[in-house]
């Protein structure tokens, strides 16, 4: 189900400027290509970057990113895992919801759909989102992704 807060048709909606509330591969999250909007919603310092979520490994490489050769398979095959390489955090996550909006966009900035250091509140999330994408299971808060920092010589699990 897709719910819009405007009378405009979906095809004329600017997805680059929209904030989408959806069930991600890990938990309920805000997705957007505009990081400034996400910073405003979360009241988060701009020095703390968001995770960039790619729909597939090909999109990640087409975005101009490089990976250490012996870590490519790890990144491509991992599930529910966020990686940090050179202070750039990203995740390769296949689509969990069958939505044309999500299929057409190769990447999003992602953050959990709650206020900083608080639990999921559906009323807060719905008031801040421009587009709500929900499947039959609804929006469910689950555990966050595993966080791994990768350097040339070693990997370290942070979360």
């Amino acid at each position: 189900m897709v719910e819009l807060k405007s009378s405009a048709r979906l095809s004329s909606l600017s997805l680059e400027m929209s904030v989408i509330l959806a069930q991600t591969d890990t938990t309920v999250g805000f997705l957007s290509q505009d990081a400034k909007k996400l910073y405003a919603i979360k009241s988060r310092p701009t020095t703390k970057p968001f995770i960039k979520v790619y729909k597939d490994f090909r999109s990640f490489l087409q975005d101009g990113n490089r990976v250490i050769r012996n870590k490519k398979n790890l990144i491509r095959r991992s599930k529910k895992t966020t990686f940090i390489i050179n202070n750039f955090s990203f995740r390769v996550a296949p689509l969990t919801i069958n939505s044309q909006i999500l299929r057409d966009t190769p990447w999003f900035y992602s953050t959990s759909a709650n206020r900083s250091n608080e639990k999921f509140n559906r009323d807060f999330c719905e008031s801040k989102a421009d587009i709500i994408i929900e499947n039959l299971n609804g929006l469910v808060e689950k555990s966050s992704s595993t966080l791994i920092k990768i350097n040339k010589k070693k990997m370290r699990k942070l979360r």
Side-chain angles (χ1 to χ4, degrees), residues 5-70:
K5 288 190 173 183
S6 72
S7 59
R9 294 187 55 91
L10 184 60
S11 61
S12 64
L13 188 65
S14 173
L15 293 177
E16 291 82 24
M17 302 305 286
S18 299
V19 175
I20 300 170
L21 175 66
Q23 182 74 40
T24 62
D25 62 329
T26 53
T27 189
V28 180
F30 288 123
L31 305 171
S32 180
Q33 288 194 326
D34 185 9
K36 291 178 186 175
K37 278 190 145 185
L38 293 177
Y39 282 120
I41 289 171
K42 296 280 285 187
S43 302
R44 183 173 170 165
T46 57
T47 56
K48 189 175 177 185
F50 291 109
I51 297 170
K52 200 167 183 180
V53 179
Y54 293 92
K55 67 179 183 179
D56 55 20
F57 193 67
R58 183 179 299 138
S59 299
F60 172 73
L61 294 176
Q62 287 174 349
D63 201 26
N65 297 306
R66 299 194 148 244
V67 180
I68 301 163
R69 183 175 300 202
N70 61 353

